[in-house]
Amino acid sequence: MPETIFSKILRNEIPSHKVYEDERVFAFLDINPLSRGHLLVIPKEPAVTLDELSDDSAAALGRVLPRLCRAVQRVSGVLAYNVLQNNGSAAHQAVGHVHFHIIPKPGDESGLGIRWPTGKLSPADGSALAEALRAALE
Ligand code: 5GP
């Protein structure tokens, strides 16, 4: 498993502003926030991308994410927020350790900007794709 800046944060070898910790999860402030309150939530398990993560770590993350979102809302004073999770450098993942961003969206001037270039799903492709995905589930 590659060593990352987040492994060092987990081992307390480099400092972070810790917000939450349990047996499987750690949350801390992003050092380059897109808006005030930008939080990173990571599993202690050193998986690079979400598809590699164990069910136990995924469950632990899912269990605490809503509570962390509520804390970010309260402290930032902003109700709108994005939860972002990048996988792979093509998808803008810079640190090779699974992480969820919680990013308050105060308005157009700060927070996450999103380009959303939509296409169209035809009924035939929808059927074929859903069937292939159902078959691919383990
Ligand atoms: P990614 O692009 O991989 O989804 O996001 C990685 C995030 O980690 C970035 O938002 C970046 O600001 C944050 N980050 C990178 N290095 C550090 C660090 O040393 N400390 C903290 N707190 N955040 C970091």
Side-chain angles (χ1 to χ4, degrees), residues 19-57:
V19 170
Y20 175 85
E21 181 170 15
D22 66 28
E23 195 190 334
R24 293 183 185 276
V25 178
F26 191 85
F28 56 105
L29 294 177
D30 196 296
I31 204 166
N32 293 128
L34 288 177
S35 58
R36 190 163 186 273
H38 183 165
L39 195 64
L40 295 171
V41 189
I42 69 174
K44 291 186 175 176
E45 181 184 329
V48 177
T49 52
L50 191 59
D51 48 280
E52 296 177 355
L53 195 63
S54 70
D55 287 356
D56 283 345
S57 287

Short mmCIF file of all heavy atoms in Angstrom, two decimals, residues 19-57:
data_model
loop_
_atom_site.label_atom_id
_atom_site.label_comp_id
_atom_site.label_asym_id
_atom_site.label_seq_id
_atom_site.Cartn_x
_atom_site.Cartn_y
_atom_site.Cartn_z
N VAL A 19 -11.10 16.58 13.87
CA VAL A 19 -12.48 16.90 14.22
C VAL A 19 -13.17 15.68 14.83
O VAL A 19 -14.02 15.80 15.71
CB VAL A 19 -13.24 17.40 12.97
CG1 VAL A 19 -14.74 17.51 13.21
CG2 VAL A 19 -12.68 18.75 12.51
N TYR A 20 -12.79 14.49 14.37
CA TYR A 20 -13.49 13.26 14.81
C TYR A 20 -12.55 12.07 14.65
O TYR A 20 -11.77 12.02 13.71
CB TYR A 20 -14.75 13.04 13.96
CG TYR A 20 -15.44 11.74 14.27
CD1 TYR A 20 -16.35 11.65 15.33
CD2 TYR A 20 -15.18 10.59 13.53
CE1 TYR A 20 -16.97 10.45 15.64
CE2 TYR A 20 -15.81 9.38 13.83
CZ TYR A 20 -16.69 9.33 14.89
OH TYR A 20 -17.30 8.14 15.19
N GLU A 21 -12.67 11.11 15.57
CA GLU A 21 -11.93 9.85 15.42
C GLU A 21 -12.69 8.73 16.10
O GLU A 21 -13.24 8.91 17.19
CB GLU A 21 -10.53 9.98 16.06
CG GLU A 21 -9.70 8.73 15.90
CD GLU A 21 -8.24 8.91 16.31
OE1 GLU A 21 -7.91 9.91 16.99
OE2 GLU A 21 -7.43 8.02 15.95
N ASP A 22 -12.77 7.59 15.44
CA ASP A 22 -13.20 6.36 16.12
C ASP A 22 -12.28 5.23 15.66
O ASP A 22 -11.23 5.48 15.05
CB ASP A 22 -14.71 6.08 15.90
CG ASP A 22 -15.07 5.76 14.45
OD1 ASP A 22 -14.20 5.25 13.71
OD2 ASP A 22 -16.22 6.02 14.05
N GLU A 23 -12.68 4.00 15.92
CA GLU A 23 -11.83 2.85 15.63
C GLU A 23 -11.44 2.75 14.16
O GLU A 23 -10.34 2.33 13.80
CB GLU A 23 -12.61 1.60 16.05
CG GLU A 23 -11.80 0.35 16.18
CD GLU A 23 -12.74 -0.85 16.35
OE1 GLU A 23 -13.88 -0.66 16.84
OE2 GLU A 23 -12.32 -1.96 15.97
N ARG A 24 -12.35 3.20 13.26
CA ARG A 24 -12.13 3.01 11.83
C ARG A 24 -12.07 4.28 11.01
O ARG A 24 -11.70 4.24 9.83
CB ARG A 24 -13.27 2.15 11.24
CG ARG A 24 -13.27 0.73 11.73
CD ARG A 24 -14.37 -0.07 11.06
NE ARG A 24 -14.46 -1.40 11.60
CZ ARG A 24 -13.71 -2.42 11.21
NH1 ARG A 24 -12.82 -2.27 10.25
NH2 ARG A 24 -13.84 -3.61 11.77
N VAL A 25 -12.43 5.42 11.60
CA VAL A 25 -12.62 6.66 10.83
C VAL A 25 -11.87 7.81 11.48
O VAL A 25 -11.77 7.88 12.72
CB VAL A 25 -14.14 7.00 10.76
CG1 VAL A 25 -14.37 8.31 10.01
CG2 VAL A 25 -14.92 5.87 10.10
N PHE A 26 -11.38 8.73 10.64
CA PHE A 26 -10.71 9.94 11.12
C PHE A 26 -11.19 11.10 10.26
O PHE A 26 -11.35 10.94 9.04
CB PHE A 26 -9.19 9.74 10.97
CG PHE A 26 -8.34 10.78 11.65
CD1 PHE A 26 -8.02 10.65 13.00
CD2 PHE A 26 -7.85 11.87 10.95
CE1 PHE A 26 -7.22 11.59 13.64
CE2 PHE A 26 -7.05 12.82 11.58
CZ PHE A 26 -6.73 12.68 12.92
N ALA A 27 -11.46 12.25 10.87
CA ALA A 27 -11.90 13.42 10.11
C ALA A 27 -11.11 14.64 10.55
O ALA A 27 -10.84 14.82 11.75
CB ALA A 27 -13.39 13.67 10.31
N PHE A 28 -10.72 15.47 9.59
CA PHE A 28 -9.87 16.63 9.86
C PHE A 28 -10.12 17.70 8.81
O PHE A 28 -10.66 17.43 7.73
CB PHE A 28 -8.39 16.21 9.89
CG PHE A 28 -7.90 15.52 8.64
CD1 PHE A 28 -7.10 16.18 7.72
CD2 PHE A 28 -8.26 14.20 8.37
CE1 PHE A 28 -6.66 15.56 6.56
CE2 PHE A 28 -7.82 13.56 7.20
CZ PHE A 28 -7.02 14.24 6.31
N LEU A 29 -9.69 18.93 9.13
CA LEU A 29 -9.91 20.04 8.21
C LEU A 29 -8.97 19.95 7.01
O LEU A 29 -7.78 19.64 7.17
CB LEU A 29 -9.69 21.38 8.93
CG LEU A 29 -10.71 21.71 10.03
CD1 LEU A 29 -10.32 23.03 10.71
CD2 LEU A 29 -12.12 21.81 9.46
N ASP A 30 -9.52 20.25 5.83
CA ASP A 30 -8.69 20.32 4.62
C ASP A 30 -7.77 21.53 4.72
O ASP A 30 -8.19 22.63 5.12
CB ASP A 30 -9.59 20.45 3.38
CG ASP A 30 -8.84 20.14 2.10
OD1 ASP A 30 -7.89 20.89 1.76
OD2 ASP A 30 -9.18 19.14 1.44
N ILE A 31 -6.51 21.32 4.34
CA ILE A 31 -5.51 22.38 4.48
C ILE A 31 -5.70 23.50 3.43
O ILE A 31 -5.25 24.63 3.63
CB ILE A 31 -4.08 21.78 4.41
CG1 ILE A 31 -3.07 22.68 5.09
CG2 ILE A 31 -3.68 21.47 2.98
CD1 ILE A 31 -1.73 22.00 5.36
N ASN A 32 -6.37 23.17 2.33
CA ASN A 32 -6.66 24.17 1.28
C ASN A 32 -8.17 24.18 1.02
O ASN A 32 -8.65 23.69 -0.01
CB ASN A 32 -5.92 23.84 -0.02
CG ASN A 32 -4.42 23.98 0.10
OD1 ASN A 32 -3.67 23.08 -0.23
ND2 ASN A 32 -3.96 25.13 0.59
N PRO A 33 -8.93 24.74 1.96
CA PRO A 33 -10.39 24.62 1.88
C PRO A 33 -11.00 25.36 0.70
O PRO A 33 -10.56 26.46 0.36
CB PRO A 33 -10.86 25.23 3.20
CG PRO A 33 -9.75 26.13 3.64
CD PRO A 33 -8.48 25.51 3.14
N LEU A 34 -12.02 24.75 0.10
CA LEU A 34 -12.81 25.43 -0.93
C LEU A 34 -13.79 26.41 -0.30
O LEU A 34 -14.28 27.33 -0.96
CB LEU A 34 -13.59 24.41 -1.77
CG LEU A 34 -12.77 23.56 -2.73
CD1 LEU A 34 -13.65 22.54 -3.44
CD2 LEU A 34 -12.08 24.45 -3.77
N SER A 35 -14.09 26.17 0.97
CA SER A 35 -14.92 27.11 1.74
C SER A 35 -14.65 26.82 3.22
O SER A 35 -14.08 25.76 3.56
CB SER A 35 -16.40 26.95 1.40
OG SER A 35 -16.81 25.62 1.65
N ARG A 36 -15.05 27.74 4.08
CA ARG A 36 -14.76 27.58 5.51
C ARG A 36 -15.56 26.40 6.06
O ARG A 36 -16.78 26.35 5.92
CB ARG A 36 -15.10 28.88 6.24
CG ARG A 36 -14.62 28.90 7.66
CD ARG A 36 -14.58 30.29 8.25
NE ARG A 36 -13.97 30.27 9.56
CZ ARG A 36 -14.64 30.03 10.69
NH1 ARG A 36 -15.94 29.84 10.65
NH2 ARG A 36 -14.00 30.01 11.85
N GLY A 37 -14.84 25.45 6.69
CA GLY A 37 -15.50 24.25 7.22
C GLY A 37 -15.23 23.01 6.39
O GLY A 37 -15.65 21.91 6.77
N HIS A 38 -14.54 23.17 5.26
CA HIS A 38 -14.22 22.04 4.36
C HIS A 38 -13.51 20.94 5.17
O HIS A 38 -12.42 21.13 5.69
CB HIS A 38 -13.33 22.57 3.24
CG HIS A 38 -12.97 21.56 2.18
ND1 HIS A 38 -12.45 21.94 0.97
CD2 HIS A 38 -13.04 20.20 2.14
CE1 HIS A 38 -12.22 20.87 0.22
NE2 HIS A 38 -12.55 19.80 0.93
N LEU A 39 -14.17 19.79 5.23
CA LEU A 39 -13.71 18.68 6.08
C LEU A 39 -13.34 17.48 5.22
O LEU A 39 -13.97 17.25 4.18
CB LEU A 39 -14.87 18.32 7.01
CG LEU A 39 -14.63 17.46 8.23
CD1 LEU A 39 -13.69 18.17 9.21
CD2 LEU A 39 -15.97 17.18 8.94
N LEU A 40 -12.34 16.73 5.66
CA LEU A 40 -11.97 15.47 5.01
C LEU A 40 -12.28 14.33 5.98
O LEU A 40 -11.92 14.40 7.16
CB LEU A 40 -10.48 15.45 4.65
CG LEU A 40 -10.04 16.45 3.60
CD1 LEU A 40 -8.51 16.47 3.50
CD2 LEU A 40 -10.65 16.14 2.24
N VAL A 41 -12.93 13.29 5.47
CA VAL A 41 -13.29 12.14 6.30
C VAL A 41 -12.66 10.91 5.66
O VAL A 41 -12.91 10.61 4.48
CB VAL A 41 -14.83 11.97 6.36
CG1 VAL A 41 -15.19 10.91 7.38
CG2 VAL A 41 -15.51 13.30 6.68
N ILE A 42 -11.82 10.21 6.41
CA ILE A 42 -11.06 9.10 5.82
C ILE A 42 -11.21 7.83 6.65
O ILE A 42 -11.36 7.89 7.88
CB ILE A 42 -9.56 9.45 5.64
CG1 ILE A 42 -8.83 9.56 6.98
CG2 ILE A 42 -9.39 10.74 4.85
CD1 ILE A 42 -7.32 9.77 6.85
N PRO A 43 -11.13 6.67 5.99
CA PRO A 43 -11.04 5.43 6.76
C PRO A 43 -9.61 5.26 7.26
O PRO A 43 -8.67 5.74 6.62
CB PRO A 43 -11.37 4.36 5.71
CG PRO A 43 -10.88 4.94 4.42
CD PRO A 43 -11.07 6.43 4.54
N LYS A 44 -9.44 4.58 8.37
CA LYS A 44 -8.07 4.27 8.80
C LYS A 44 -7.46 3.17 7.92
O LYS A 44 -6.25 3.11 7.75
CB LYS A 44 -8.08 3.85 10.27
CG LYS A 44 -8.41 5.04 11.18
CD LYS A 44 -8.28 4.70 12.65
CE LYS A 44 -8.50 5.98 13.47
NZ LYS A 44 -8.49 5.71 14.92
N GLU A 45 -8.32 2.36 7.34
CA GLU A 45 -7.85 1.33 6.40
C GLU A 45 -7.20 2.02 5.20
O GLU A 45 -7.78 2.94 4.61
CB GLU A 45 -9.06 0.51 5.94
CG GLU A 45 -8.72 -0.61 4.98
CD GLU A 45 -9.99 -1.32 4.49
OE1 GLU A 45 -10.98 -1.39 5.24
OE2 GLU A 45 -9.98 -1.78 3.35
N PRO A 46 -6.00 1.56 4.79
CA PRO A 46 -5.28 2.28 3.74
C PRO A 46 -5.69 1.88 2.33
O PRO A 46 -4.86 1.49 1.53
CB PRO A 46 -3.81 1.92 4.03
CG PRO A 46 -3.90 0.54 4.61
CD PRO A 46 -5.20 0.47 5.37
N ALA A 47 -6.96 2.00 1.99
CA ALA A 47 -7.42 1.71 0.61
C ALA A 47 -7.21 2.95 -0.25
O ALA A 47 -7.39 4.08 0.23
CB ALA A 47 -8.89 1.31 0.62
N VAL A 48 -6.83 2.74 -1.50
CA VAL A 48 -6.56 3.88 -2.40
C VAL A 48 -7.86 4.46 -2.93
O VAL A 48 -8.06 5.68 -2.94
CB VAL A 48 -5.63 3.45 -3.55
CG1 VAL A 48 -5.39 4.60 -4.52
CG2 VAL A 48 -4.29 2.95 -3.02
N THR A 49 -8.75 3.58 -3.40
CA THR A 49 -10.02 4.04 -3.98
C THR A 49 -11.19 3.31 -3.31
O THR A 49 -11.02 2.25 -2.70
CB THR A 49 -10.06 3.81 -5.50
OG1 THR A 49 -9.72 2.45 -5.78
CG2 THR A 49 -9.08 4.73 -6.22
N LEU A 50 -12.37 3.89 -3.46
CA LEU A 50 -13.55 3.40 -2.72
C LEU A 50 -13.87 1.94 -3.04
O LEU A 50 -14.29 1.18 -2.15
CB LEU A 50 -14.75 4.29 -3.06
CG LEU A 50 -16.00 4.12 -2.22
CD1 LEU A 50 -15.73 4.37 -0.74
CD2 LEU A 50 -17.10 5.07 -2.72
N ASP A 51 -13.67 1.55 -4.29
CA ASP A 51 -13.97 0.17 -4.70
C ASP A 51 -13.10 -0.86 -3.97
O ASP A 51 -13.44 -2.04 -3.92
CB ASP A 51 -13.79 0.02 -6.22
CG ASP A 51 -12.46 0.62 -6.68
OD1 ASP A 51 -12.40 1.85 -6.82
OD2 ASP A 51 -11.50 -0.14 -6.84
N GLU A 52 -11.96 -0.41 -3.41
CA GLU A 52 -11.05 -1.31 -2.71
C GLU A 52 -11.36 -1.42 -1.22
O GLU A 52 -10.75 -2.22 -0.50
CB GLU A 52 -9.60 -0.81 -2.84
CG GLU A 52 -9.08 -0.81 -4.26
CD GLU A 52 -7.67 -0.23 -4.34
OE1 GLU A 52 -7.14 0.26 -3.31
OE2 GLU A 52 -7.12 -0.25 -5.45
N LEU A 53 -12.28 -0.60 -0.75
CA LEU A 53 -12.51 -0.49 0.70
C LEU A 53 -13.35 -1.67 1.21
O LEU A 53 -14.26 -2.14 0.54
CB LEU A 53 -13.24 0.83 0.97
CG LEU A 53 -13.28 1.33 2.40
CD1 LEU A 53 -11.87 1.62 2.92
CD2 LEU A 53 -14.15 2.57 2.51
N SER A 54 -13.05 -2.11 2.43
CA SER A 54 -13.83 -3.20 3.04
C SER A 54 -15.23 -2.73 3.41
O SER A 54 -15.46 -1.53 3.63
CB SER A 54 -13.12 -3.70 4.31
OG SER A 54 -13.21 -2.71 5.31
N ASP A 55 -16.16 -3.67 3.49
CA ASP A 55 -17.52 -3.34 3.92
C ASP A 55 -17.53 -2.73 5.31
O ASP A 55 -18.32 -1.81 5.59
CB ASP A 55 -18.41 -4.59 3.90
CG ASP A 55 -18.76 -5.05 2.49
OD1 ASP A 55 -18.39 -4.35 1.52
OD2 ASP A 55 -19.40 -6.11 2.36
N ASP A 56 -16.67 -3.22 6.20
CA ASP A 56 -16.66 -2.69 7.57
C ASP A 56 -16.25 -1.23 7.62
O ASP A 56 -16.86 -0.42 8.32
CB ASP A 56 -15.72 -3.52 8.46
CG ASP A 56 -16.34 -4.85 8.88
OD1 ASP A 56 -17.58 -4.99 8.73
OD2 ASP A 56 -15.60 -5.73 9.33
N SER A 57 -15.22 -0.88 6.86
CA SER A 57 -14.81 0.53 6.83
C SER A 57 -15.86 1.39 6.16
O SER A 57 -16.15 2.52 6.59
CB SER A 57 -13.47 0.69 6.09
OG SER A 57 -12.42 0.20 6.87
#
